[in-house]
Amino acid sequence: MQRPLTLGKIEEAINNASSYQEYREACEAHDALAGADEWKAKDRDRGYDYRLIRKRVERLKFARLHGDPAGLMSILHEGIHGNLGNISNPELNNYCKIGTKNLIQEFLDEVCEALSMIYHADENDIDFYEKLSFFEETYYAYGKSCLMLSGGAGLGFFHCGVVKALVEEDLMPNIISGASAGSIITGLVGTRTDDELKDVLTAESIHERFRQWSVWQGFGKDGLLDSTNLENALIELFGDMTFEEAFKKTGRKITITVSPADLHQYSRLLNQKTAPNAIITMAVRASTAIPMVYSPVQLRAKNASGQIVPYIPNRKFCDGSIMADMPFQRLARLYGVNHSIVSQTNPIAVPFLSRNKKHVHDFASITKRHLFNLTKMNSIYAFDLVENAIDSRALKLGIHKIRSIVEQQYVGDINILPQRSMRNISKIFSNPTRGAIQDLIDSAERATWPQMDNIRRNTQISKAFRKYNKLLKKREQQLLSGQSGLRLVKAG
């Protein structure tokens, strides 16, 4: 007779799962046995406005069942955003291994059903341009999710596992930023389709290209490491593709951050909006130019005739993570982003970030957070005083860079972090073995699994918006092309 499963056995299965499917099934079994399913079934909870969400579900369902797409548009126009009624409250993740309140999931599903009905509505009732206007305006108001990949030198291969896990579950946002080591993986994501990514995001493929990225060349040079092997790997991966060309191929809006190598300049976000003709290879090479380790570089772009020319002449750029490791606010302005998923491997930040998914609000925790923020503000103040007091340009530049590192925010709404270990520290500047890369990829996938269901919920509605908005935009182009053709026929 088979012995019944205990919570201990299920937790062991969770820890030893070899795939996300195994992990998910074990988490579902844990929630069933631990009583979390009962918690999910009860609407009432102080963590969110269950009355508001229940009422909104009833109104959406009523309009949908009565075939009223105009009514659905009106309900959604009233105000829909990612944290309506506090449904994205991280406290709600503390009660179960996977999933959330059934009412919250029902609300998300009803919104997606409503969007589908509006999109498919008879155009005698809601004409095409009314639909297009609704989806454009409401999608922008609702907001989008982005994935930000941090710096981390040799630890940056961790990002491969995060991206791999998201791609396999069809949860990859189409707005991605990368700094330093993260810029390499961002470049891969922006220049490869999902099928191509599955081939390139392997330990074998990564090791083949980056097994000799760290080559000592000594003091007295522009950098301590020789960048030849790194540059050759980047050329092999990206060639002379521009940000605009990459966007046309994959539809992904990738951003590479770079920092100025001199004073009185700001970090730049390079993407298909801000720098459409800039060459990705040189953007990534600049973003990976850790000061004193690799020499700063000048960017390149294609001109109108396709020739490669200097971009922002007389300026050189270096490591993007120095001033823009997590450029959330600027992505928000460019793309309407209001939710972030962060893969964080920056050795400056990782040791100080919590891996506990519980969000505590006791007196000690609140005081600790306040003291941390106070220390940060005082440090920035001290750096400003010192920078203004000295005359040496080199010292000013160094202090300015350190100030930028201290001032930054290194976390997002959902954070995926590597485990703390001495082995990981040793990987920062060493040439990787294939086994070491595989370990990083495997550990990254495992670190992503506990966040996967949360990511799915937080991106469910924006993913539906994106789908229907894209279809309508495509049809608009067809209509405009048809009208142009008709005018040409008449003119002929």
Side-chain angles (χ1 to χ4, degrees):
M1 180 177 177
Q2 189 175 6
R3 296 174 63 183
L5 285 174
T6 64
L7 286 178
K9 287 288 186 183
I10 296 174
E11 286 170 0
E12 186 178 334
I14 291 172
N15 293 331
N16 295 326
S18 60
S19 68
Y20 177 63
Q21 184 61 33
E22 283 185 19
Y23 173 86
R24 184 179 182 88
E25 289 173 358
C27 287
E28 289 170 347
H30 189 283
D31 284 354
L33 189 59
D37 284 353
E38 285 80 2
W39 173 84
K40 296 175 190 177
K42 294 176 182 176
D43 294 351
R44 184 185 296 270
D45 194 283
R46 289 183 299 176
Y48 76 115
D49 191 341
Y50 63 92
R51 294 183 183 88
L52 170 66
I53 300 303
R54 184 191 294 152
K55 185 65 176 176
R56 193 60 62 94
V57 166
E58 289 170 354
R59 291 180 64 197
L60 286 169
K61 190 175 290 186
F62 181 86
R64 182 171 60 82
L65 294 177
H66 284 77
D68 184 10
L72 291 172
M73 290 171 66
S74 177
I75 295 168
L76 295 179
H77 259 314
E78 285 178 9
I80 178 173
H81 55 84
N83 199 22
L84 182 69
N86 209 24
I87 61 173
S88 295
N89 182 0
E91 294 288 337
L92 296 172
N93 298 328
N94 295 340
Y95 299 97
C96 51
K97 290 287 186 182
I98 201 163
T100 187
K101 289 287 188 182
N102 294 346
L103 177 62
I104 293 175
Q105 188 59 58
E106 185 180 7
F107 168 72
L108 299 175
D109 293 341
E110 277 296 331
V111 171
C112 292
E113 288 287 343
L115 294 176
S116 176
M117 175 171 274
I118 293 166
Y119 172 77
H120 290 101
D122 190 320
E123 292 184 2
N124 290 319
D125 300 322
I126 302 174
D127 70 39
F128 170 78
Y129 285 102
E130 189 177 357
K131 288 182 186 179
L132 181 62
S133 176
F134 166 81
F135 275 97
E136 284 181 334
E137 293 171 5
T138 316
Y139 184 22
Y140 188 83
Y142 181 79
K144 306 174 182 71
S145 293
C146 69
L147 173 66
M148 297 188 289
L149 308 179
S150 76
L155 283 179
F157 299 123
F158 178 89
H159 301 316
C160 295
V162 174
V163 170
K164 181 172 178 284
L166 294 176
V167 168
E168 287 177 350
E169 291 298 312
D170 193 24
L171 291 175
M172 189 69 191
N174 77 327
I175 300 170
I176 309 103
S177 77
S180 197
S183 70
I184 299 174
I185 312 306
T186 298
L188 285 173
V189 172
T191 57
R192 265 74 176 175
T193 63
D194 283 357
D195 288 339
E196 290 171 337
L197 274 177
K198 292 172 185 176
D199 291 333
V200 77
L201 292 177
T202 64
E204 293 77 13
S205 177
I206 297 297
H207 180 256
E208 180 184 345
R209 292 173 172 87
F210 295 99
R211 64 183 181 275
Q212 292 292 328
W213 72 271
S214 178
V215 179
W216 178 261
Q217 69 174 358
F219 298 100
K221 308 284 187 179
D222 288 340
L224 297 176
L225 298 184
D226 184 349
S227 63
T228 303
N229 289 342
L230 175 62
E231 289 171 355
N232 288 339
L234 298 180
I235 292 169
E236 182 184 349
L237 287 172
F238 310 124
D240 62 356
M241 185 177 289
T242 66
F243 285 94
E244 179 66 24
E245 289 166 349
F247 174 69
K248 288 179 179 177
K249 177 183 177 181
T250 67
R252 294 190 174 111
K253 301 169 183 175
I254 62 166
T255 291
I256 304 297
T257 67
V258 295
S259 300
D262 53 8
L263 281 169
H264 311 304
Q265 293 290 315
Y266 295 96
S267 61
R268 291 180 180 266
L269 270 60
L270 305 173
N271 53 51
Q272 99 284 356
K273 276 194 171 186
T274 63
N277 298 319
I279 292 173
I280 292 173
T281 293
M282 296 309 298
V284 174
R285 170 64 182 87
S287 192
T288 55
I290 305 167
M292 295 187 294
V293 177
Y294 283 132
S295 59
V297 299
Q298 187 179 69
L299 301 173
R300 296 283 188 272
K302 285 183 183 177
N303 63 19
S305 61
Q307 295 175 312
I308 296 176
V309 297
Y311 184 75
I312 315 177
N314 305 319
R315 295 290 180 191
K316 290 188 176 182
F317 294 88
C318 61
D319 193 334
S321 65
I322 292 175
M323 300 182 75
D325 201 44
M326 302 279 114
F328 178 77
Q329 294 298 329
R330 291 160 76 181
L331 289 176
R333 290 196 298 271
L334 281 168
Y335 295 118
V337 167
N338 65 357
H339 177 264
S340 61
I341 304 160
V342 168
S343 178
Q344 180 56 267
T345 61
N346 194 318
I348 294 171
V350 166
F352 306 102
L353 301 179
S354 172
R355 284 149 180 78
N356 187 349
K357 85 173 196 174
K358 293 184 181 296
H359 295 255
V360 288
H361 299 286
D362 57 86
F363 176 79
S365 299
I366 293 172
T367 303
K368 183 179 177 182
R369 285 196 295 270
H370 176 71
L371 289 174
F372 176 82
N373 290 330
L374 195 61
T375 302
K376 182 176 178 178
M377 292 296 294
N378 287 337
S379 299
I380 294 168
Y381 171 67
F383 282 125
D384 285 343
L385 289 179
V386 173
E387 185 179 340
N388 287 325
I390 61 176
D391 296 322
S392 168
R393 181 179 177 84
L395 281 177
K396 275 182 178 288
L397 181 60
I399 291 169
H400 187 70
K401 300 301 186 192
I402 296 171
R403 181 194 186 280
S404 297
I405 291 170
V406 173
E407 188 179 24
Q408 291 187 63
Q409 179 75 21
Y410 289 96
V411 294
D413 297 297
I414 296 174
N415 301 292
I416 303 167
L417 311 172
Q419 292 296 317
R420 296 190 186 101
S421 74
M422 293 304 296
R423 288 179 63 193
N424 279 348
I425 293 174
S426 68
K427 295 171 185 173
I428 294 175
F429 286 112
S430 63
N431 285 314
T433 64
R434 190 170 67 176
I437 295 174
Q438 188 64 61
D439 286 345
L440 280 173
I441 292 174
D442 291 343
S443 66
E445 288 188 83
R446 295 195 60 80
T448 307
W449 293 344
Q451 303 288 359
M452 200 80 83
D453 197 63
N454 196 13
I455 293 170
R456 192 185 307 277
R457 288 196 305 276
N458 279 276
T459 59
Q460 182 177 344
I461 293 175
S462 62
K463 189 175 175 181
F465 266 122
R466 189 172 80 198
K467 171 186 173 182
Y468 296 124
N469 198 50
K470 184 178 179 180
L471 289 171
L472 288 167
K473 286 284 190 183
K474 183 177 179 180
R475 189 168 160 215
E476 181 187 32
Q477 288 296 320
Q478 293 171 343
L479 288 172
L480 292 173
S481 298
Q483 289 171 3
S484 298
L486 184 60
R487 284 196 294 269
L488 286 172
V489 169
K490 287 181 177 178

